[in-house]
Amino acid sequence: SIFSADVIGVSRPQGSGWDIGAYEYNLGQSANQSPAVSITSPSSGQTFSAPAAITISANASDSDGTVSKVEFYNGTALLGTDTTTPYTYTWGSVGAGAYSITARVTDNSGASATSGTISIVVNAQGQQFPDDDLDGVPDSTDRCPRTAIAAKSFVNIFGCALPIATKFDIRPDFNATDINGMQSLELGILAFGKVSYAGKNILLVKMLAGEDERLNLDADLNISQGKISLNPENLPQLGAPAAITLYNTNFTNPKILKDGAECTECSILGYDRDAKTLVFTVPGF
């Protein structure tokens, strides 16, 4: 995009309005915007039988230019490249194993972006595995072997019901992580902040009537300007001590409040006034 402005001191032969033509000059070009890409097929947690022919499809776009290419990866290994829409690659003769697939898009200005990871499993040819809860994950590798009927279509490669978490940036990837015992977890919203857990044994599964249901992080964890709140009754798994980072803050002498009162057990780890970022610890929620 090009932006223009009047040249100071130049007379306006066409009145007091904005000049055109020779009476304008460029202020400069806006920064190139990164492209976007997401894998549409296969779905995370999908299983195949070896030798498998797996077609990987992706949507890619660029708001201020064009897509030059989309590359498909298994882990760090490049599988193939497509330069025209629809962006697809057929991965042939795939042997038994677990795989992590991503797509990387590059635009006409050289900017790039990478999709989220899709985790799939290829079973050995003709191999039949016991699967008592019918979630598509063999009992031998199922860390959550009692998946509820409503959650069977939303399990990861470990057979655990994925939490409902559509509004958060998440580390690590729930699809490729055993969420029945995580050692670290980070949930954030880029504009507001994040909550981080480390050195914990975090179980992001919900047992209800003896079955594994989906936790609803979207409903029970809220991150907004200068504030993070959690419903400990519905999310007791996340009631542990944590580090909280708040972005876009503007304090003179920051104080941490818990339920409206100053938190004497909370500790401020740092406040960067230039970056407007506050980091502190809490004993729980």
Side-chain angles (χ1 to χ4, degrees):
S1 301
I2 303 295
F3 299 93
S4 300
D6 278 359
V7 177
I8 297 175
V10 176
S11 61
R12 296 187 172 98
Q14 297 188 19
S16 60
W18 283 88
D19 292 329
I20 59 174
Y23 295 96
E24 294 184 346
Y25 70 98
N26 290 334
L27 291 178
Q29 293 184 330
S30 60
N32 180 43
Q33 300 298 308
S34 296
V37 62
S38 62
I39 293 178
T40 58
S41 179
S43 58
S44 203
Q46 191 169 343
T47 59
F48 301 85
S49 296
I54 303 171
T55 298
I56 310 170
S57 302
N59 283 337
S61 61
D62 187 37
S63 61
D64 61 350
T66 58
V67 171
S68 294
K69 63 180 178 179
V70 174
E71 299 168 302
F72 298 94
Y73 288 85
N74 168 40
T76 59
L78 177 63
L79 298 174
T81 303
D82 197 352
T83 58
T84 58
T85 185
Y87 301 104
T88 63
Y89 174 76
T90 299
W91 186 14
S93 302
V94 184
Y99 301 96
S100 298
I101 300 171
T102 56
R104 182 178 178 84
V105 60
T106 303
D107 69 12
N108 60 304
S109 296
S112 61
T114 302
S115 71
T117 301
I118 299 297
S119 301
I120 62 171
V121 174
V122 178
N123 296 320
Q125 184 177 18
Q127 194 170 3
Q128 298 296 323
F129 297 100
D131 180 15
D132 288 345
D133 60 359
L134 302 177
D135 63 355
V137 178
D139 291 343
S140 60
T141 58
D142 197 336
R143 295 298 306 274
C144 301
R146 296 178 299 280
T147 303
I149 293 176
K152 292 185 188 299
S153 298
F154 304 96
V155 299
N156 63 10
I157 62 173
F158 295 94
C160 295
L162 290 166
I164 301 170
T166 62
K167 63 184 183 181
F168 300 105
D169 300 313
I170 301 169
R171 293 186 177 87
D173 178 13
F174 286 164
N175 288 301
T177 304
D178 180 5
I179 60 175
N180 201 22
M182 304 173 66
Q183 294 304 304
S184 63
L185 173 64
E186 182 178 293
L187 298 164
I189 296 179
L190 184 60
F192 302 128
K194 63 183 179 180
V195 56
S196 306
Y197 302 86
K200 312 295 181 185
N201 188 33
I202 305 168
L203 281 68
L204 282 186
V205 293
K206 175 183 178 181
M207 290 295 294
L208 186 63
E211 293 185 321
D212 296 312
E213 299 276 2
R214 304 178 73 190
L215 288 175
N216 194 337
L217 300 184
D218 282 351
D220 295 315
L221 174 63
N222 292 290
I223 302 176
S224 56
Q225 185 66 50
K227 180 180 179 181
I228 292 181
S229 61
L230 181 143
N231 185 333
E233 292 185 4
N234 293 341
L235 288 178
Q237 300 89 337
L238 299 184
I244 291 176
T245 303
L246 297 178
Y247 305 132
N248 300 314
T249 59
N250 190 14
F251 302 113
T252 301
N253 294 301
K255 291 184 179 180
I256 310 304
L257 304 181
K258 181 180 180 182
D259 299 328
E262 185 172 354
C263 178
T264 57
E265 297 177 279
C266 300
S267 298
I268 295 178
L269 301 181
Y271 179 45
D272 188 330
R273 286 183 172 81
D274 293 331
K276 297 183 178 181
T277 300
L278 174 66
V279 183
F280 59 96
T281 61
V282 297
F285 287 86

